[in-house]
Amino acid sequence: MNKKELLEHYNKNYTEEEYFSNNVAFAFSNQQLEEAIKQLGAKDKTELTSIFGYGDVCLKSKAKKLIQWVIKREQEKISWLKSLSTKEQNIIIEYELYNHECEYTMDIEPVVDLFKNVFTYNDIMFVFHKIRKQ
């Protein structure tokens, strides 16, 4: 897999999948909430809940299944990241170090937190030192 394909795959988000988009809506205003009620097939807002707590809504009756689905997708992503070659892992780490402006702030903690279940601190430091030398 070349770098472009690798990063495209990495950046693919489960929120773009049909199952998610059919069962979760985002509402940041009363009008959007009314649209979400219709979209999700609810009678009123009492049938809705949030699984993330930041504007998302879904049917209460589907919340547990949605949470399980999201956790499964996250686990699949972690497994995929761990299965990559060292070179591919370094590309992903480098991408996130630049994405979080770590070379500018000199703070890699956001990336360490992001990859806490995937890569070690030493893996991230190795890439950080590499990009600092460039």
Side-chain angles (χ1 to χ4, degrees), residues 45-95:
K45 68 181 181 180
T46 63
E47 292 185 8
L48 301 178
T49 190
S50 173
I51 57 175
F52 299 115
Y54 59 82
D56 64 287
V57 291
C58 68
L59 293 172
K60 287 179 183 177
S61 61
K62 294 186 177 183
K64 183 176 180 179
K65 187 175 179 183
L66 277 163
I67 291 169
Q68 291 170 339
W69 184 84
V70 167
I71 290 169
K72 181 180 177 194
R73 287 295 181 270
E74 288 295 319
Q75 290 301 318
E76 288 170 353
K77 187 170 189 173
I78 289 169
S79 295
W80 175 75
L81 286 167
K82 288 181 176 182
S83 75
L84 296 174
S85 70
T86 302
K87 181 180 178 183
E88 292 169 325
Q89 290 177 354
N90 288 348
I91 289 169
I92 300 294
I93 293 168
E94 180 178 326
Y95 171 81

Side-chain angles (χ1 to χ4, degrees), residues 11-31:
N11 285 313
K12 185 178 179 194
N13 196 324
Y14 61 79
T15 59
E16 299 165 0
E17 293 185 38
E18 187 176 344
Y19 177 77
F20 188 88
S21 60
N22 287 341
N23 290 288
V24 177
F26 291 90
F28 301 100
S29 68
N30 286 334
Q31 179 184 352

Side-chain angles (χ1 to χ4, degrees), residues 97 100-111 128 132:
L97 287 167
H100 287 84
E101 299 181 345
C102 297
E103 81 288 357
Y104 174 74
T105 64
M106 302 297 287
D107 180 14
I108 68 165
E109 289 307 312
V111 177
F128 181 67
R132 290 279 301 141

